[in-house]
Amino acid sequence: MTSFVHTNFPTEHPGVTRVELALESASRLSSGISGSRSLAVLLLSAVASAIVVAVYEVMDTVAEGHLLVLWTSLWIAVFAVLALFASNARRLGSNLKSVLDTWSSAIAQGRADQRLWAIAKSDPRVMADLQTALQRNADADDALVRSANLAALSKFGSR
């Protein structure tokens, strides 16, 4: 006689499923953090740590009997600094990020222009293409100047 056994074992390990869910939630969390916000947090923590060092130096000169009061005042000062400078640090971080983005794109454009010029010096076809593009740009500028002059003359003539 033949008998069949049907077992219902899980096809995935529950630990693997938990790790996959944790990794997905961590990736969603990290994608939601903006660069300017993390930069603001970094700047804010630097300011807070500088104030903590200054307060600690003041605390070091006081007698040890009031240590708990001084530690409490230190942490009150830290949280007050965090609350006061959070918006300024975020604004400074976003401004710094935009300035650095502009600077890096300008450097990248300069490098690309240098590479193109080096290629154009060795390849006459590329040099001819560059000269044609420069001529078209000059012609477009001339046409723009002419149309601006015509517009100014027509305004002057209508008075």
Side-chain angles (χ1 to χ4, degrees), residues 99-118:
V99 165
L100 289 176
D101 285 344
T102 305
W103 175 72
S104 65
S105 65
I107 294 228
Q109 182 65 40
R111 286 182 184 158
D113 289 344
Q114 287 175 351
R115 274 186 256 125
L116 180 63
W117 187 249

Side-chain angles (χ1 to χ4, degrees), residues 127-139:
M127 184 62 83
D129 287 343
L130 282 177
Q131 288 173 345
T132 304
L134 288 172
Q135 185 60 40
R136 284 183 187 158
N137 192 18
D139 292 343

